[in-house]
PDB file of all heavy atoms in Angstrom:
ATOM      1  N   GLU S  92     -12.677  19.115  23.497  1.00 98.00           N
ATOM      2  CA  GLU S  92     -13.867  18.278  23.580  1.00 98.00           C
ATOM      3  C   GLU S  92     -14.595  18.475  24.903  1.00 98.00           C
ATOM      4  O   GLU S  92     -13.987  18.420  25.978  1.00 98.00           O
ATOM      5  CB  GLU S  92     -13.481  16.802  23.428  1.00 98.00           C
ATOM      6  CG  GLU S  92     -14.678  15.860  23.520  1.00 98.00           C
ATOM      7  CD  GLU S  92     -14.284  14.397  23.497  1.00 98.00           C
ATOM      8  OE1 GLU S  92     -13.087  14.093  23.308  1.00 98.00           O
ATOM      9  OE2 GLU S  92     -15.191  13.545  23.684  1.00 98.00           O
ATOM     10  N   GLU S  95     -17.946  14.392  29.797  1.00 83.00           N
ATOM     11  CA  GLU S  95     -18.913  14.124  30.835  1.00 83.00           C
ATOM     12  C   GLU S  95     -18.677  15.004  32.065  1.00 83.00           C
ATOM     13  O   GLU S  95     -17.558  15.373  32.384  1.00 83.00           O
ATOM     14  CB  GLU S  95     -18.841  12.649  31.251  1.00 83.00           C
ATOM     15  CG  GLU S  95     -18.893  11.667  30.083  1.00 83.00           C
ATOM     16  CD  GLU S  95     -17.562  11.480  29.374  1.00 83.00           C
ATOM     17  OE1 GLU S  95     -16.539  12.001  29.882  1.00 83.00           O
ATOM     18  OE2 GLU S  95     -17.549  10.850  28.299  1.00 83.00           O
ATOM     19  N   TYR S 100     -11.536  17.880  27.355  1.00 98.00           N
ATOM     20  CA  TYR S 100     -10.413  17.053  26.943  1.00 98.00           C
ATOM     21  C   TYR S 100      -9.687  17.708  25.768  1.00 98.00           C
ATOM     22  O   TYR S 100     -10.303  18.371  24.931  1.00 98.00           O
ATOM     23  CB  TYR S 100     -10.903  15.672  26.510  1.00 98.00           C
ATOM     24  CG  TYR S 100     -11.564  14.890  27.619  1.00 98.00           C
ATOM     25  CD1 TYR S 100     -12.925  15.060  27.888  1.00 98.00           C
ATOM     26  CD2 TYR S 100     -10.836  14.007  28.409  1.00 98.00           C
ATOM     27  CE1 TYR S 100     -13.537  14.351  28.911  1.00 98.00           C
ATOM     28  CE2 TYR S 100     -11.447  13.296  29.437  1.00 98.00           C
ATOM     29  CZ  TYR S 100     -12.794  13.475  29.683  1.00 98.00           C
ATOM     30  OH  TYR S 100     -13.398  12.776  30.705  1.00 98.00           O
ATOM     31  N   ASN S 101      -8.388  17.495  25.741  1.00 98.00           N
ATOM     32  CA  ASN S 101      -7.560  17.901  24.606  1.00 98.00           C
ATOM     33  C   ASN S 101      -7.624  16.732  23.622  1.00 98.00           C
ATOM     34  O   ASN S 101      -6.995  15.695  23.844  1.00 98.00           O
ATOM     35  CB  ASN S 101      -6.133  18.147  25.099  1.00 98.00           C
ATOM     36  CG  ASN S 101      -5.203  18.626  24.010  1.00 98.00           C
ATOM     37  OD1 ASN S 101      -5.446  18.405  22.827  1.00 98.00           O
ATOM     38  ND2 ASN S 101      -4.117  19.265  24.403  1.00 98.00           N
ATOM     39  N   LEU S 103      -8.200  14.725  19.622  1.00 98.00           N
ATOM     40  CA  LEU S 103      -7.875  14.606  18.199  1.00 98.00           C
ATOM     41  C   LEU S 103      -8.986  13.822  17.533  1.00 98.00           C
ATOM     42  O   LEU S 103      -9.315  12.715  17.962  1.00 98.00           O
ATOM     43  CB  LEU S 103      -6.540  13.876  18.033  1.00 98.00           C
ATOM     44  CG  LEU S 103      -6.160  13.398  16.616  1.00 98.00           C
ATOM     45  CD1 LEU S 103      -6.022  14.574  15.668  1.00 98.00           C
ATOM     46  CD2 LEU S 103      -4.864  12.590  16.681  1.00 98.00           C
ATOM     47  N   ILE S 113     -14.228   8.521  12.262  1.00 98.00           N
ATOM     48  CA  ILE S 113     -13.718   7.155  12.459  1.00 98.00           C
ATOM     49  C   ILE S 113     -12.824   7.045  13.695  1.00 98.00           C
ATOM     50  O   ILE S 113     -12.393   5.949  14.049  1.00 98.00           O
ATOM     51  CB  ILE S 113     -12.944   6.657  11.218  1.00 98.00           C
ATOM     52  CG1 ILE S 113     -11.802   7.611  10.849  1.00 98.00           C
ATOM     53  CG2 ILE S 113     -13.902   6.466  10.050  1.00 98.00           C
ATOM     54  CD1 ILE S 113     -10.918   7.089   9.716  1.00 98.00           C
ATOM     55  N   GLY S 114     -12.546   8.175  14.354  1.00 97.00           N
ATOM     56  CA  GLY S 114     -11.712   8.116  15.547  1.00 97.00           C
ATOM     57  C   GLY S 114     -11.772   9.384  16.363  1.00 97.00           C
ATOM     58  O   GLY S 114     -11.894  10.488  15.811  1.00 97.00           O
ATOM     59  N   ASN S 115     -11.697   9.214  17.685  1.00 98.00           N
ATOM     60  CA  ASN S 115     -11.601  10.355  18.594  1.00 98.00           C
ATOM     61  C   ASN S 115     -10.692   9.949  19.751  1.00 98.00           C
ATOM     62  O   ASN S 115     -10.958   8.960  20.437  1.00 98.00           O
ATOM     63  CB  ASN S 115     -12.975  10.760  19.120  1.00 98.00           C
ATOM     64  CG  ASN S 115     -12.934  12.088  19.872  1.00 98.00           C
ATOM     65  OD1 ASN S 115     -12.846  13.148  19.264  1.00 98.00           O
ATOM     66  ND2 ASN S 115     -12.987  12.033  21.195  1.00 98.00           N
ATOM     67  N   TYR S 116      -9.626  10.689  19.922  1.00 98.00           N
ATOM     68  CA  TYR S 116      -8.624  10.355  20.942  1.00 98.00           C
ATOM     69  C   TYR S 116      -8.492  11.502  21.928  1.00 98.00           C
ATOM     70  O   TYR S 116      -8.372  12.669  21.536  1.00 98.00           O
ATOM     71  CB  TYR S 116      -7.270  10.077  20.280  1.00 98.00           C
ATOM     72  CG  TYR S 116      -6.119  10.029  21.271  1.00 98.00           C
ATOM     73  CD1 TYR S 116      -6.005   8.986  22.186  1.00 98.00           C
ATOM     74  CD2 TYR S 116      -5.162  11.043  21.304  1.00 98.00           C
ATOM     75  CE1 TYR S 116      -4.955   8.954  23.105  1.00 98.00           C
ATOM     76  CE2 TYR S 116      -4.114  11.014  22.208  1.00 98.00           C
ATOM     77  CZ  TYR S 116      -4.019   9.968  23.123  1.00 98.00           C
ATOM     78  OH  TYR S 116      -2.994   9.940  24.035  1.00 98.00           O
ATOM     79  N   ARG S 117      -8.517  11.174  23.209  1.00 98.00           N
ATOM     80  CA  ARG S 117      -8.313  12.154  24.277  1.00 98.00           C
ATOM     81  C   ARG S 117      -6.881  12.023  24.796  1.00 98.00           C
ATOM     82  O   ARG S 117      -6.472  10.938  25.215  1.00 98.00           O
ATOM     83  CB  ARG S 117      -9.310  11.913  25.406  1.00 98.00           C
ATOM     84  CG  ARG S 117     -10.758  12.150  24.993  1.00 98.00           C
ATOM     85  CD  ARG S 117     -11.727  11.673  26.068  1.00 98.00           C
ATOM     86  NE  ARG S 117     -13.092  12.095  25.774  1.00 98.00           N
ATOM     87  CZ  ARG S 117     -14.150  11.773  26.517  1.00 98.00           C
ATOM     88  NH1 ARG S 117     -13.999  10.994  27.592  1.00 98.00           N
ATOM     89  NH2 ARG S 117     -15.352  12.214  26.184  1.00 98.00           N
ATOM     90  N   LYS S 118      -6.156  13.115  24.764  1.00 98.00           N
ATOM     91  CA  LYS S 118      -4.744  13.122  25.138  1.00 98.00           C
ATOM     92  C   LYS S 118      -4.530  12.484  26.510  1.00 98.00           C
ATOM     93  O   LYS S 118      -5.105  12.917  27.513  1.00 98.00           O
ATOM     94  CB  LYS S 118      -4.224  14.564  25.120  1.00 98.00           C
ATOM     95  CG  LYS S 118      -2.730  14.715  25.330  1.00 98.00           C
ATOM     96  CD  LYS S 118      -2.339  16.181  25.170  1.00 98.00           C
ATOM     97  CE  LYS S 118      -0.843  16.406  25.293  1.00 98.00           C
ATOM     98  NZ  LYS S 118      -0.496  17.841  25.105  1.00 98.00           N
ATOM     99  N   ILE S 119      -3.678  11.478  26.529  1.00 98.00           N
ATOM    100  CA  ILE S 119      -3.417  10.729  27.757  1.00 98.00           C
ATOM    101  C   ILE S 119      -2.409  11.435  28.660  1.00 98.00           C
ATOM    102  O   ILE S 119      -2.594  11.534  29.873  1.00 98.00           O
ATOM    103  CB  ILE S 119      -2.928   9.303  27.405  1.00 98.00           C
ATOM    104  CG1 ILE S 119      -4.072   8.496  26.762  1.00 98.00           C
ATOM    105  CG2 ILE S 119      -2.406   8.583  28.646  1.00 98.00           C
ATOM    106  CD1 ILE S 119      -3.658   7.128  26.249  1.00 98.00           C
ATOM    107  N   HIS S 120      -1.326  11.925  28.075  1.00 98.00           N
ATOM    108  CA  HIS S 120      -0.256  12.547  28.863  1.00 98.00           C
ATOM    109  C   HIS S 120      -0.339  14.069  28.736  1.00 98.00           C
ATOM    110  O   HIS S 120       0.098  14.647  27.747  1.00 98.00           O
ATOM    111  CB  HIS S 120       1.111  12.055  28.381  1.00 98.00           C
ATOM    112  CG  HIS S 120       1.285  10.578  28.478  1.00 98.00           C
ATOM    113  ND1 HIS S 120       1.179   9.753  27.379  1.00 98.00           N
ATOM    114  CD2 HIS S 120       1.538   9.771  29.541  1.00 98.00           C
ATOM    115  CE1 HIS S 120       1.381   8.495  27.762  1.00 98.00           C
ATOM    116  NE2 HIS S 120       1.599   8.482  29.061  1.00 98.00           N
ATOM    117  N   THR S 130      -8.880  17.171  31.454  1.00 97.00           N
ATOM    118  CA  THR S 130      -8.876  15.857  32.083  1.00 97.00           C
ATOM    119  C   THR S 130      -8.123  14.904  31.156  1.00 97.00           C
ATOM    120  O   THR S 130      -8.355  14.924  29.941  1.00 97.00           O
ATOM    121  CB  THR S 130     -10.315  15.351  32.290  1.00 97.00           C
ATOM    122  OG1 THR S 130     -10.977  16.230  33.212  1.00 97.00           O
ATOM    123  CG2 THR S 130     -10.330  13.938  32.842  1.00 97.00           C
ATOM    124  N   PRO S 131      -7.227  14.080  31.679  1.00 97.00           N
ATOM    125  CA  PRO S 131      -6.485  13.170  30.794  1.00 97.00           C
ATOM    126  C   PRO S 131      -7.375  12.056  30.265  1.00 97.00           C
ATOM    127  O   PRO S 131      -8.289  11.581  30.950  1.00 97.00           O
ATOM    128  CB  PRO S 131      -5.383  12.619  31.702  1.00 97.00           C
ATOM    129  CG  PRO S 131      -5.936  12.735  33.081  1.00 97.00           C
ATOM    130  CD  PRO S 131      -6.781  13.970  33.079  1.00 97.00           C
ATOM    131  N   GLY S 132      -7.103  11.626  29.044  1.00 97.00           N
ATOM    132  CA  GLY S 132      -7.794  10.484  28.496  1.00 97.00           C
ATOM    133  C   GLY S 132      -7.271   9.197  29.090  1.00 97.00           C
ATOM    134  O   GLY S 132      -6.225   9.178  29.760  1.00 97.00           O
ATOM    135  N   ASN S 133      -7.976   8.108  28.852  1.00 96.00           N
ATOM    136  CA  ASN S 133      -7.542   6.813  29.399  1.00 96.00           C
ATOM    137  C   ASN S 133      -7.732   5.675  28.408  1.00 96.00           C
ATOM    138  O   ASN S 133      -7.853   4.518  28.808  1.00 96.00           O
ATOM    139  CB  ASN S 133      -8.284   6.507  30.705  1.00 96.00           C
ATOM    140  CG  ASN S 133      -9.798   6.518  30.541  1.00 96.00           C
ATOM    141  OD1 ASN S 133     -10.298   6.494  29.416  1.00 96.00           O
ATOM    142  ND2 ASN S 133     -10.510   6.584  31.651  1.00 96.00           N
ATOM    143  N   GLU S 134      -7.737   6.002  27.112  1.00 97.00           N
ATOM    144  CA  GLU S 134      -7.940   4.973  26.104  1.00 97.00           C
ATOM    145  C   GLU S 134      -6.914   5.107  24.985  1.00 97.00           C
ATOM    146  O   GLU S 134      -6.707   6.188  24.435  1.00 97.00           O
ATOM    147  CB  GLU S 134      -9.352   5.076  25.498  1.00 97.00           C
ATOM    148  CG  GLU S 134      -9.653   4.014  24.464  1.00 97.00           C
ATOM    149  CD  GLU S 134     -11.031   4.184  23.860  1.00 97.00           C
ATOM    150  OE1 GLU S 134     -11.765   5.107  24.258  1.00 97.00           O
ATOM    151  OE2 GLU S 134     -11.372   3.386  22.950  1.00 97.00           O
ATOM    152  N   VAL S 135      -6.259   3.993  24.649  1.00 98.00           N
ATOM    153  CA  VAL S 135      -5.358   3.927  23.500  1.00 98.00           C
ATOM    154  C   VAL S 135      -6.222   3.746  22.261  1.00 98.00           C
ATOM    155  O   VAL S 135      -7.070   2.856  22.217  1.00 98.00           O
ATOM    156  CB  VAL S 135      -4.362   2.767  23.647  1.00 98.00           C
ATOM    157  CG1 VAL S 135      -3.483   2.648  22.406  1.00 98.00           C
ATOM    158  CG2 VAL S 135      -3.508   2.954  24.900  1.00 98.00           C
ATOM    159  N   VAL S 136      -6.005   4.596  21.252  1.00 98.00           N
ATOM    160  CA  VAL S 136      -6.894   4.594  20.089  1.00 98.00           C
ATOM    161  C   VAL S 136      -6.140   4.241  18.810  1.00 98.00           C
ATOM    162  O   VAL S 136      -5.198   4.932  18.417  1.00 98.00           O
ATOM    163  CB  VAL S 136      -7.598   5.956  19.919  1.00 98.00           C
ATOM    164  CG1 VAL S 136      -8.474   5.954  18.668  1.00 98.00           C
ATOM    165  CG2 VAL S 136      -8.433   6.277  21.159  1.00 98.00           C
ATOM    166  N   LEU S 137      -6.579   3.170  18.187  1.00 98.00           N
ATOM    167  CA  LEU S 137      -6.087   2.736  16.878  1.00 98.00           C
ATOM    168  C   LEU S 137      -7.296   2.612  15.966  1.00 98.00           C
ATOM    169  O   LEU S 137      -8.297   1.998  16.346  1.00 98.00           O
ATOM    170  CB  LEU S 137      -5.378   1.389  16.987  1.00 98.00           C
ATOM    171  CG  LEU S 137      -4.836   0.806  15.681  1.00 98.00           C
ATOM    172  CD1 LEU S 137      -3.569   1.522  15.265  1.00 98.00           C
ATOM    173  CD2 LEU S 137      -4.570  -0.697  15.834  1.00 98.00           C
ATOM    174  N   ILE S 138      -7.226   3.209  14.780  1.00 97.00           N
ATOM    175  CA  ILE S 138      -8.391   3.213  13.898  1.00 97.00           C
ATOM    176  C   ILE S 138      -8.046   2.649  12.527  1.00 97.00           C
ATOM    177  O   ILE S 138      -6.908   2.710  12.083  1.00 97.00           O
ATOM    178  CB  ILE S 138      -8.976   4.636  13.752  1.00 97.00           C
ATOM    179  CG1 ILE S 138      -7.936   5.596  13.150  1.00 97.00           C
ATOM    180  CG2 ILE S 138      -9.476   5.151  15.085  1.00 97.00           C
ATOM    181  CD1 ILE S 138      -8.472   6.984  12.885  1.00 97.00           C
ATOM    182  N   GLY S 146      -2.512   5.065  14.383  1.00 98.00           N
ATOM    183  CA  GLY S 146      -2.424   5.221  15.822  1.00 98.00           C
ATOM    184  C   GLY S 146      -2.453   6.701  16.169  1.00 98.00           C
ATOM    185  O   GLY S 146      -1.808   7.507  15.501  1.00 98.00           O
ATOM    186  N   LEU S 147      -3.193   7.061  17.217  1.00 98.00           N
ATOM    187  CA  LEU S 147      -3.382   8.467  17.558  1.00 98.00           C
ATOM    188  C   LEU S 147      -2.652   8.841  18.840  1.00 98.00           C
ATOM    189  O   LEU S 147      -2.766   8.156  19.864  1.00 98.00           O
ATOM    190  CB  LEU S 147      -4.878   8.781  17.692  1.00 98.00           C
ATOM    191  CG  LEU S 147      -5.773   8.380  16.495  1.00 98.00           C
ATOM    192  CD1 LEU S 147      -7.197   8.868  16.719  1.00 98.00           C
ATOM    193  CD2 LEU S 147      -5.218   8.912  15.178  1.00 98.00           C
ATOM    194  N   MET S 148      -1.919   9.947  18.745  1.00 98.00           N
ATOM    195  CA  MET S 148      -1.220  10.522  19.887  1.00 98.00           C
ATOM    196  C   MET S 148      -1.324  12.038  19.777  1.00 98.00           C
ATOM    197  O   MET S 148      -1.695  12.571  18.729  1.00 98.00           O
ATOM    198  CB  MET S 148       0.262  10.107  19.892  1.00 98.00           C
ATOM    199  CG  MET S 148       0.510   8.619  19.953  1.00 98.00           C
ATOM    200  SD  MET S 148       2.252   8.153  19.665  1.00 98.00           S
ATOM    201  CE  MET S 148       3.070   8.936  21.036  1.00 98.00           C
ATOM    202  N   ILE S 149      -0.976  12.743  20.849  1.00 98.00           N
ATOM    203  CA  ILE S 149      -0.953  14.207  20.820  1.00 98.00           C
ATOM    204  C   ILE S 149       0.274  14.705  21.578  1.00 98.00           C
ATOM    205  O   ILE S 149       0.452  14.393  22.759  1.00 98.00           O
ATOM    206  CB  ILE S 149      -2.222  14.819  21.443  1.00 98.00           C
ATOM    207  CG1 ILE S 149      -3.482  14.394  20.680  1.00 98.00           C
ATOM    208  CG2 ILE S 149      -2.129  16.343  21.468  1.00 98.00           C
ATOM    209  CD1 ILE S 149      -4.793  14.865  21.321  1.00 98.00           C
ATOM    210  N   ASP S 152       2.561  13.186  24.393  1.00 98.00           N
ATOM    211  CA  ASP S 152       2.534  11.721  24.295  1.00 98.00           C
ATOM    212  C   ASP S 152       3.794  11.179  23.629  1.00 98.00           C
ATOM    213  O   ASP S 152       4.197  10.042  23.889  1.00 98.00           O
ATOM    214  CB  ASP S 152       1.330  11.267  23.457  1.00 98.00           C
ATOM    215  CG  ASP S 152      -0.003  11.384  24.178  1.00 98.00           C
ATOM    216  OD1 ASP S 152      -0.029  11.303  25.418  1.00 98.00           O
ATOM    217  OD2 ASP S 152      -1.025  11.551  23.482  1.00 98.00           O
ATOM    218  N   LEU S 158       3.373   4.305  24.953  1.00 97.00           N
ATOM    219  CA  LEU S 158       2.158   4.493  24.166  1.00 97.00           C
ATOM    220  C   LEU S 158       2.389   4.140  22.703  1.00 97.00           C
ATOM    221  O   LEU S 158       1.575   3.433  22.082  1.00 97.00           O
ATOM    222  CB  LEU S 158       1.653   5.935  24.293  1.00 97.00           C
ATOM    223  CG  LEU S 158       0.404   6.279  23.489  1.00 97.00           C
ATOM    224  CD1 LEU S 158      -0.742   5.328  23.811  1.00 97.00           C
ATOM    225  CD2 LEU S 158      -0.015   7.731  23.744  1.00 97.00           C
ATOM    226  N   GLU S 161       2.595   0.409  22.394  1.00 96.00           N
ATOM    227  CA  GLU S 161       1.278  -0.215  22.476  1.00 96.00           C
ATOM    228  C   GLU S 161       0.541  -0.115  21.145  1.00 96.00           C
ATOM    229  O   GLU S 161      -0.076  -1.084  20.686  1.00 96.00           O
ATOM    230  CB  GLU S 161       0.452   0.444  23.588  1.00 96.00           C
ATOM    231  CG  GLU S 161      -0.947  -0.114  23.764  1.00 96.00           C
ATOM    232  CD  GLU S 161      -0.971  -1.511  24.365  1.00 96.00           C
ATOM    233  OE1 GLU S 161       0.087  -2.001  24.805  1.00 96.00           O
ATOM    234  OE2 GLU S 161      -2.065  -2.124  24.385  1.00 96.00           O
ATOM    235  N   LEU S 162       0.622   1.044  20.511  1.00 97.00           N
ATOM    236  CA  LEU S 162      -0.015   1.225  19.200  1.00 97.00           C
ATOM    237  C   LEU S 162       0.625   0.308  18.161  1.00 97.00           C
ATOM    238  O   LEU S 162      -0.072  -0.300  17.341  1.00 97.00           O
ATOM    239  CB  LEU S 162       0.090   2.684  18.768  1.00 97.00           C
ATOM    240  CG  LEU S 162      -0.785   3.672  19.535  1.00 97.00           C
ATOM    241  CD1 LEU S 162      -0.361   5.114  19.245  1.00 97.00           C
ATOM    242  CD2 LEU S 162      -2.257   3.479  19.204  1.00 97.00           C
ATOM    243  N   LYS S 165      -0.476  -3.218  18.539  1.00 96.00           N
ATOM    244  CA  LYS S 165      -1.847  -3.381  18.081  1.00 96.00           C
ATOM    245  C   LYS S 165      -1.947  -3.357  16.557  1.00 96.00           C
ATOM    246  O   LYS S 165      -3.027  -3.578  16.000  1.00 96.00           O
ATOM    247  CB  LYS S 165      -2.737  -2.295  18.685  1.00 96.00           C
ATOM    248  CG  LYS S 165      -3.006  -2.453  20.182  1.00 96.00           C
ATOM    249  CD  LYS S 165      -3.869  -1.312  20.702  1.00 96.00           C
ATOM    250  CE  LYS S 165      -4.166  -1.474  22.181  1.00 96.00           C
ATOM    251  NZ  LYS S 165      -5.059  -2.618  22.464  1.00 96.00           N
TER     252      LYS S 165
END
Side-chain angles (χ1 to χ4, degrees):
E92 179 185 355
E95 310 81 8
Y100 297 86
N101 182 337
L103 168 62
I113 56 174
N115 190 76
Y116 167 69
R117 295 170 171 177
K118 187 175 183 179
I119 292 174
H120 301 102
T130 296
N133 57 14
E134 182 182 359
V135 176
V136 178
L137 179 76
I138 60 176
L147 307 185
M148 301 170 63
I149 299 175
D152 286 332
L158 179 55
E161 180 71 9
L162 289 167
K165 289 179 179 291

